[in-house]
Amino acid sequence: MKKELGYGVALVGALAGAGALTAAMIRKKKREEIYHEAELKAMNELDEMMSENGDDALDCDTCSCAEACAAAAEQAEVDETEPEEQPADETEEEPSAE
């Protein structure tokens, strides 16, 4: 009788564990779906904002700071074309052993 009761308790415990695992997996999947939907919505909103402001932001003719933008672009080109300074050779000459 005790042996049968032990098997019954073990079976109920195993079923409860499987049920809890299934419930946890369902909740995790639901959270992932919600996160994914929110991520897609944010990406769409960002794309819309970029497309609304993209034409004006890239048009230097209508930009009020076109001169500063051009100066910064020229400086960037100069920085790229200038060779980097070679560091001074800091190795000291060792005295020759006689």
Side-chain angles (χ1 to χ4, degrees):
M1 177 80 164
K2 284 185 178 181
K3 192 174 189 179
E4 292 173 0
L5 183 62
Y7 287 138
V9 170
L11 181 61
V12 169
L15 290 175
L21 179 63
T22 302
M25 289 175 64
I26 290 172
R27 280 183 275 162
K28 181 181 178 188
K29 184 164 176 64
K30 185 85 162 170
R31 281 193 307 262
E32 287 176 351
E33 288 175 2
I34 291 170
Y35 175 79
H36 184 66
E37 288 174 10
E39 187 178 27
L40 289 175
K41 183 178 178 184
M43 288 172 56
N44 287 337
E45 289 177 0
L46 181 63
D47 286 342
E48 288 175 10
M49 287 188 330
M50 294 297 286
S51 67
E52 288 174 1
N53 297 331
D55 296 336
D56 295 336
L58 297 176
D59 189 11
C60 286
D61 295 335
T62 61
C63 183
S64 62
C65 60
E67 293 171 358
C69 182
E74 287 178 14
Q75 184 62 37
E77 287 179 11
V78 169
D79 291 343
E80 289 177 2
T81 58
E82 289 181 359
E84 294 182 18
E85 294 181 19
Q86 298 294 328
D89 198 16
E90 296 180 9
T91 59
E92 296 179 13
E93 293 182 22
E94 296 180 15
S96 58
E98 292 183 17

